[in-house]
Amino acid sequence: MGGTKARPYGSTTKARTWVLAALGVVKVATAEQIRQLTCPGTADAQTVRNAAKDLGVEGLVVSLGSATRINDKGNRVSEKLWNLTTAGLEAASVVLDREVKEMGGTAKASVPSGAPHARKVTDTITAFLQPIPEPTRPVVRKNQPPPTVPTQTAAGPFRPAGIGTLSSWETEVVLPVAGTFISPAKGSPRADAVLTAPGAGLPVLFVEVDNGTEDRQIVANKIFKYRRFFRRTLKDNARDVPMWQTLYGDHGRQGHPPVAIVFTKQVGPEAMMNRMKAIRDLSTECWKGHWQGGSLYGTDVKDGYRRYDGTVPVIVTTLARLQQHGPHGPIWWRYGHSSWESLEAALDNPDDYRAFSVRDEERRLERRAQEEREQREREETKRRQKAAAWACPTCGRDVYPNDDWQSAAPGSDCSVCNSAKERERQAAEERAAEEAQAKAEAEAWRKENGIFGFLRR
């Protein structure tokens, strides 16, 4: 399409807005990356490229370097890297409806080297968003007759659900452990990207992109830096409030906000898992919950829960998984969990007090049900015994088949009368025995001494 004096490359306002919005967030990207991020339904990157060139004429966008990639045909291609000028940063702030001071820098220093890390951050954000290609129609060129048959719009390929919008993202966000955002203290983390999507149940997610070029300990140390920032508090009506909550709001879960690490290097599954595990082991102190044992119901039950206050939930995945399945797919490994999970499951704490209280309530209900069963059994036994009772022939007292835990024959005396009769029988036997013994002793003395034996006394 032909251009104008003001727009020599013939770009549309919509296309220029796409470029400003994209570069306002990711800071540096190729035309193809901007297309994938903002307008994947367009036929190719030329639409974006023309818009960037027109913005360059206005002094809003500049290309100071290039990057290479392998295209779909396996060929190595070189592409210009685009980033905003200072004036372009101001223009992007209007498009994104943000304060200029919130826009960060232009990232022009990374462009001459090809900005490998910044490009992976851009790819990561695109994978989170999963932009849906809008159906497009072929552009009617000048001096060409309209088609005799109405042209059908081309439906884009299926993509998994994404999270948020482009304006939900910020990159290179300073998180001061002390000092200010302008002058942060040494040791303050700088998040590669921050997602705020409260409408999707994710008030804030801090994202780190790992290209595999840094030592594992350096990557693990970033988690410690995040924890330092999360621990920083501010006074709010004489109450200490975490600084991050004043910026992003409470996420409603126990513990600090989540940190996601996206691994982008193309390596084998074993090598990738070894790196993930190494970073896990080096940062255990930050993410591991604290075990609290005990059970309110059932002292013989070994149970408990983990407390996650003061811990940093760390979830990890690969860029390839994120691109293929989207952020909601079963692609996340939460350090401390045992399997790949969806984002919602990975951010949950299934072994915290909530689950423990449910189990303990189940034990309480089971104990109560057991007590009720035992009470009913006692009442039923008592009812059956009462139905089978008879009057004691001696005293008239009710006699049960098992009277005082002793079997009683039907029609027999009660245990009280039986005991009394038994005592009388034993007493009679004792008296008879005593009388017999006295009689025997007297008879023996008579035989020994005769009738006059008393005279020898």
Side-chain angles (χ1 to χ4, degrees):
M1 296 179 64
T4 64
K5 185 175 181 180
R7 306 278 186 265
Y9 295 96
S11 63
T12 64
T13 300
K14 187 175 184 179
R16 292 192 298 277
T17 300
W18 286 338
V19 174
L20 288 174
L23 294 180
V25 173
V26 302
K27 301 302 186 293
V28 57
T30 66
E32 177 60 23
Q33 284 185 308
I34 296 173
R35 184 183 80 87
Q36 293 292 341
L37 187 60
T38 60
C39 52
T42 54
D44 55 41
Q46 191 59 46
T47 300
V48 173
R49 197 173 292 113
N50 289 342
K53 290 179 178 179
D54 277 341
L55 289 170
V57 172
E58 298 181 45
L60 302 179
V61 171
V62 65
S63 177
L64 301 175
S66 61
T68 59
R69 67 178 177 88
I70 305 299
N71 63 14
D72 296 337
K73 297 180 180 180
N75 300 322
R76 183 179 295 274
V77 295
S78 179
E79 298 176 296
K80 284 186 176 182
L81 287 169
W82 299 94
N83 63 285
L84 298 172
T85 63
T86 302
L89 206 62
E90 295 180 3
S93 72
V94 175
V95 173
L96 295 170
D97 193 23
R98 295 178 182 173
E99 297 288 339
V100 176
K101 63 182 179 180
E102 298 176 0
M103 295 297 294
T106 61
K108 65 179 181 180
S110 66
V111 177
S113 64
H117 184 263
R119 286 188 289 120
K120 289 301 182 181
V121 172
T122 301
D123 291 340
T124 298
I125 292 176
T126 303
F128 265 100
L129 290 175
Q130 294 289 328
I132 299 176
E134 297 180 0
T136 58
R137 294 176 181 272
V139 178
V140 179
R141 302 295 180 179
K142 291 183 177 180
N143 303 322
Q144 289 183 354
T148 57
V149 178
T151 303
Q152 299 294 322
T153 58
F158 168 79
R159 287 194 176 182
I163 293 181
T165 63
L166 182 59
S167 60
S168 304
W169 287 90
E170 296 179 86
T171 58
E172 294 298 315
V173 180
V174 176
L175 306 173
V177 296
T180 65
F181 290 95
I182 303 299
S183 300
K186 185 178 180 180
S188 297
R190 184 184 293 269
D192 288 337
V194 179
L195 169 64
T196 53
L202 195 63
V204 63
L205 176 68
F206 296 89
V207 179
E208 286 295 316
V209 176
D210 177 62
N211 286 2
T213 58
E214 293 181 316
D215 184 78
R216 299 171 179 182
Q217 184 65 65
I218 294 177
V219 179
N221 286 343
K222 292 181 181 180
I223 301 173
F224 284 86
K225 290 181 179 181
Y226 273 106
R227 187 176 66 168
R228 284 188 62 193
F229 169 70
F230 294 150
R231 287 177 171 178
R232 185 178 180 181
T233 60
L234 299 175
K235 288 292 184 182
D236 182 16
N237 294 326
R239 185 171 63 95
D240 289 333
V241 177
M243 185 179 188
W244 66 265
Q245 285 189 13
T246 66
L247 299 171
Y248 303 105
D250 190 5
H251 56 53
R253 290 183 296 271
Q254 192 179 37
H256 296 312
V259 175
I261 304 178
V262 180
F263 296 86
T264 66
K265 189 175 181 179
Q266 296 290 336
V267 297
E270 184 176 355
M272 177 60 71
M273 183 55 65
N274 288 340
R275 185 169 179 83
M276 289 181 175
K277 288 181 177 179
I279 295 171
R280 175 201 62 181
D281 296 341
L282 291 169
S283 61
T284 300
E285 176 187 330
C286 296
W287 55 260
K288 188 174 184 179
H290 309 289
W291 181 255
Q292 181 73 44
S295 176
L296 298 177
Y297 297 95
T299 55
D300 57 332
V301 177
K302 291 184 179 180
D303 197 1
Y305 58 94
R306 288 194 182 278
R307 297 181 56 182
Y308 288 93
D309 46 325
T311 62
V312 180
V314 181
I315 59 176
V316 300
T317 190
T318 64
L319 179 58
R321 284 174 173 265
L322 186 60
Q323 290 172 330
Q324 180 180 0
H325 301 287
H328 296 290
I331 65 169
W332 298 101
W333 177 28
R334 163 82 175 269
Y335 285 164
H337 290 195
S338 59
S339 62
W340 297 100
E341 302 172 303
S342 66
L343 181 61
E344 181 180 9
L347 295 180
D348 191 23
N349 299 319
D351 57 352
D352 65 4
Y353 185 77
R354 295 170 305 158
F356 167 78
S357 63
V358 170
R359 293 192 301 273
D360 225 33
E361 177 65 10
E362 290 174 350
R363 286 190 288 268
R364 186 188 72 81
L365 294 176
E366 176 58 30
R367 170 168 289 193
R368 180 177 177 181
Q370 178 65 24
E371 292 174 348
E372 291 176 350
R373 286 195 297 270
E374 293 174 353
Q375 177 64 23
R376 288 194 298 269
E377 290 174 359
R378 288 192 295 269
E379 291 176 353
E380 178 62 20
T381 299
K382 186 176 181 180
R383 185 192 65 77
R384 291 196 303 267
Q385 288 180 337
K386 189 172 183 179
W390 62 88
C392 175
T394 301
C395 67
R397 173 180 175 269
D398 285 342
V399 185
Y400 300 96
N402 293 320
D403 190 36
D404 288 345
W405 305 107
Q406 293 182 359
S407 297
S412 62
D413 286 339
C414 67
S415 58
V416 175
C417 293
N418 283 334
S419 297
K421 291 180 178 180
E422 178 63 21
R423 287 194 298 272
E424 291 177 357
R425 184 188 65 78
Q426 290 177 355
E429 289 180 352
E430 290 174 358
R431 287 194 300 272
E434 290 174 356
E435 290 174 357
Q437 182 178 1
K439 184 176 180 181
E441 290 175 352
E443 180 63 24
W445 183 86
R446 186 186 64 79
K447 289 180 178 181
E448 180 181 354
N449 298 286
I451 193 170
F452 299 108
F454 69 92
L455 298 176
R456 292 195 294 270
R457 293 185 177 179

